[in-house]
mmCIF file of all heavy atoms in Angstrom:
data_model
loop_
_atom_site.group_PDB
_atom_site.id
_atom_site.type_symbol
_atom_site.label_atom_id
_atom_site.label_comp_id
_atom_site.label_asym_id
_atom_site.label_seq_id
_atom_site.Cartn_x
_atom_site.Cartn_y
_atom_site.Cartn_z
ATOM 1 N N LYS Y 199 15.113 18.375 22.547
ATOM 2 C CA LYS Y 199 14.199 18.036 21.467
ATOM 3 C C LYS Y 199 13.295 19.208 21.125
ATOM 4 O O LYS Y 199 13.082 19.498 19.911
ATOM 5 C CB LYS Y 199 13.369 16.797 21.897
ATOM 6 C CG LYS Y 199 12.455 16.274 20.753
ATOM 7 C CD LYS Y 199 11.935 14.874 21.126
ATOM 8 C CE LYS Y 199 11.127 14.304 19.988
ATOM 9 N NZ LYS Y 199 10.743 12.902 20.267
ATOM 10 N N LEU Y 200 12.719 19.858 22.149
ATOM 11 C CA LEU Y 200 11.870 21.028 21.867
ATOM 12 C C LEU Y 200 12.635 22.134 21.140
ATOM 13 O O LEU Y 200 12.120 22.677 20.169
ATOM 14 C CB LEU Y 200 11.336 21.573 23.163
ATOM 15 C CG LEU Y 200 10.232 20.780 23.861
ATOM 16 C CD1 LEU Y 200 9.953 21.306 25.268
ATOM 17 C CD2 LEU Y 200 8.956 20.825 23.046
ATOM 18 N N ALA Y 201 13.845 22.384 21.560
ATOM 19 C CA ALA Y 201 14.668 23.447 20.878
ATOM 20 C C ALA Y 201 14.940 23.022 19.432
ATOM 21 O O ALA Y 201 14.899 23.894 18.521
ATOM 22 C CB ALA Y 201 15.978 23.669 21.653
ATOM 23 N N ILE Y 203 13.175 20.981 17.471
ATOM 24 C CA ILE Y 203 11.967 21.058 16.637
ATOM 25 C C ILE Y 203 11.601 22.489 16.289
ATOM 26 O O ILE Y 203 11.233 22.785 15.168
ATOM 27 C CB ILE Y 203 10.807 20.323 17.348
ATOM 28 C CG1 ILE Y 203 11.088 18.833 17.457
ATOM 29 C CG2 ILE Y 203 9.508 20.561 16.562
ATOM 30 C CD1 ILE Y 203 10.109 18.054 18.268
ATOM 31 N N ARG Y 204 11.689 23.368 17.274
ATOM 32 C CA ARG Y 204 11.393 24.792 17.021
ATOM 33 C C ARG Y 204 12.323 25.315 15.939
ATOM 34 O O ARG Y 204 11.881 26.040 14.968
ATOM 35 C CB ARG Y 204 11.546 25.613 18.276
ATOM 36 C CG ARG Y 204 10.532 25.348 19.346
ATOM 37 C CD ARG Y 204 10.613 26.367 20.466
ATOM 38 N NE ARG Y 204 9.918 25.920 21.668
ATOM 39 C CZ ARG Y 204 10.477 25.419 22.763
ATOM 40 N NH1 ARG Y 204 11.817 25.329 22.815
ATOM 41 N NH2 ARG Y 204 9.766 25.049 23.799
ATOM 42 N N ARG Y 207 11.351 23.800 12.549
ATOM 43 C CA ARG Y 207 10.112 24.393 12.008
ATOM 44 C C ARG Y 207 10.380 25.796 11.439
ATOM 45 O O ARG Y 207 9.752 26.203 10.452
ATOM 46 C CB ARG Y 207 9.063 24.510 13.143
ATOM 47 C CG ARG Y 207 8.573 23.162 13.706
ATOM 48 C CD ARG Y 207 7.689 22.441 12.775
ATOM 49 N NE ARG Y 207 7.010 21.344 13.451
ATOM 50 C CZ ARG Y 207 6.717 20.171 12.853
ATOM 51 N NH1 ARG Y 207 7.070 20.001 11.573
ATOM 52 N NH2 ARG Y 207 6.063 19.229 13.449
ATOM 53 N N VAL Y 215 8.048 15.598 11.315
ATOM 54 C CA VAL Y 215 8.710 15.201 12.542
ATOM 55 C C VAL Y 215 7.919 14.101 13.228
ATOM 56 O O VAL Y 215 6.693 14.222 13.398
ATOM 57 C CB VAL Y 215 8.905 16.397 13.477
ATOM 58 C CG1 VAL Y 215 9.560 15.962 14.741
ATOM 59 C CG2 VAL Y 215 9.637 17.531 12.812
ATOM 60 N N ILE Y 216 8.613 13.035 13.637
ATOM 61 C CA ILE Y 216 7.933 12.017 14.411
ATOM 62 C C ILE Y 216 8.679 11.803 15.736
ATOM 63 O O ILE Y 216 9.820 12.249 15.899
ATOM 64 C CB ILE Y 216 7.877 10.644 13.663
ATOM 65 C CG1 ILE Y 216 9.239 9.926 13.644
ATOM 66 C CG2 ILE Y 216 7.332 10.795 12.241
ATOM 67 C CD1 ILE Y 216 9.178 8.491 13.292
ATOM 68 N N LEU Y 251 6.494 16.917 25.922
ATOM 69 C CA LEU Y 251 6.641 17.424 24.546
ATOM 70 C C LEU Y 251 5.430 18.207 24.055
ATOM 71 O O LEU Y 251 5.522 19.224 23.385
ATOM 72 C CB LEU Y 251 6.952 16.247 23.602
ATOM 73 C CG LEU Y 251 7.258 16.556 22.149
ATOM 74 C CD1 LEU Y 251 8.572 17.325 22.011
ATOM 75 C CD2 LEU Y 251 7.320 15.282 21.329
ATOM 76 N N PHE Y 252 4.246 17.676 24.453
ATOM 77 C CA PHE Y 252 2.990 18.316 23.999
ATOM 78 C C PHE Y 252 2.435 19.373 24.957
ATOM 79 O O PHE Y 252 1.395 19.911 24.684
ATOM 80 C CB PHE Y 252 1.956 17.197 23.810
ATOM 81 C CG PHE Y 252 2.270 16.239 22.717
ATOM 82 C CD1 PHE Y 252 1.825 14.942 22.796
ATOM 83 C CD2 PHE Y 252 2.988 16.620 21.590
ATOM 84 C CE1 PHE Y 252 2.121 14.002 21.768
ATOM 85 C CE2 PHE Y 252 3.256 15.712 20.590
ATOM 86 C CZ PHE Y 252 2.857 14.415 20.681
ATOM 87 N N GLY Y 260 7.082 25.073 27.079
ATOM 88 C CA GLY Y 260 6.711 25.453 25.718
ATOM 89 C C GLY Y 260 6.321 24.366 24.798
ATOM 90 O O GLY Y 260 6.252 24.543 23.588
ATOM 91 N N GLY Y 261 6.007 23.208 25.319
ATOM 92 C CA GLY Y 261 5.552 22.106 24.502
ATOM 93 C C GLY Y 261 4.178 22.390 23.915
ATOM 94 O O GLY Y 261 3.377 23.147 24.477
ATOM 95 N N SER Y 262 3.860 21.732 22.816
ATOM 96 C CA SER Y 262 2.501 21.877 22.215
ATOM 97 C C SER Y 262 2.266 20.667 21.313
ATOM 98 O O SER Y 262 3.201 19.980 20.876
ATOM 99 C CB SER Y 262 2.414 23.157 21.391
ATOM 100 O OG SER Y 262 3.333 23.168 20.274
ATOM 101 N N LEU Y 263 0.993 20.421 21.050
ATOM 102 C CA LEU Y 263 0.582 19.224 20.279
ATOM 103 C C LEU Y 263 1.104 19.247 18.862
ATOM 104 O O LEU Y 263 1.259 18.214 18.256
ATOM 105 C CB LEU Y 263 -0.914 19.088 20.296
ATOM 106 C CG LEU Y 263 -1.477 17.737 19.921
ATOM 107 C CD1 LEU Y 263 -0.975 16.602 20.838
ATOM 108 C CD2 LEU Y 263 -3.033 17.761 19.934
ATOM 109 N N ASP Y 264 1.399 20.448 18.351
ATOM 110 C CA ASP Y 264 1.847 20.525 16.980
ATOM 111 C C ASP Y 264 3.369 20.368 16.827
ATOM 112 O O ASP Y 264 3.933 20.538 15.730
ATOM 113 C CB ASP Y 264 1.426 21.862 16.337
ATOM 114 C CG ASP Y 264 1.985 23.078 17.059
ATOM 115 O OD1 ASP Y 264 2.710 22.930 18.077
ATOM 116 O OD2 ASP Y 264 1.723 24.231 16.586
ATOM 117 N N MET Y 265 4.006 19.950 17.915
ATOM 118 C CA MET Y 265 5.471 19.757 17.823
ATOM 119 C C MET Y 265 5.825 18.597 16.894
ATOM 120 O O MET Y 265 6.880 18.615 16.220
ATOM 121 C CB MET Y 265 6.066 19.427 19.212
ATOM 122 C CG MET Y 265 6.247 20.659 20.083
ATOM 123 S SD MET Y 265 7.615 21.629 19.471
ATOM 124 C CE MET Y 265 7.345 23.197 20.265
ATOM 125 N N VAL Y 266 4.972 17.595 16.791
ATOM 126 C CA VAL Y 266 5.264 16.469 15.883
ATOM 127 C C VAL Y 266 4.092 16.209 14.977
ATOM 128 O O VAL Y 266 2.922 16.609 15.275
ATOM 129 C CB VAL Y 266 5.607 15.172 16.681
ATOM 130 C CG1 VAL Y 266 6.777 15.411 17.568
ATOM 131 C CG2 VAL Y 266 4.421 14.638 17.439
ATOM 132 N N ASP Y 267 4.329 15.577 13.867
ATOM 133 C CA ASP Y 267 3.286 15.262 12.875
ATOM 134 C C ASP Y 267 2.710 13.889 13.129
ATOM 135 O O ASP Y 267 1.550 13.679 12.774
ATOM 136 C CB ASP Y 267 3.882 15.369 11.501
ATOM 137 C CG ASP Y 267 4.369 16.734 11.148
ATOM 138 O OD1 ASP Y 267 3.513 17.629 10.873
ATOM 139 O OD2 ASP Y 267 5.597 16.973 11.168
ATOM 140 N N LYS Y 309 -3.357 11.874 17.497
ATOM 141 C CA LYS Y 309 -2.376 12.164 16.506
ATOM 142 C C LYS Y 309 -2.108 10.903 15.680
ATOM 143 O O LYS Y 309 -2.266 9.807 16.193
ATOM 144 C CB LYS Y 309 -1.014 12.613 17.105
ATOM 145 C CG LYS Y 309 -1.072 13.866 17.941
ATOM 146 C CD LYS Y 309 -1.087 15.146 17.117
ATOM 147 C CE LYS Y 309 0.215 15.390 16.398
ATOM 148 N NZ LYS Y 309 0.215 16.670 15.690
#
Side-chain angles (χ1 to χ4, degrees):
K199 186 168 185 172
L200 285 170
I203 294 173
R204 292 190 196 103
R207 296 287 193 214
V215 180
I216 75 163
L251 185 66
F252 294 150
S262 63
L263 197 59
D264 62 358
M265 280 290 163
V266 304
D267 298 285
K309 298 283 289 186

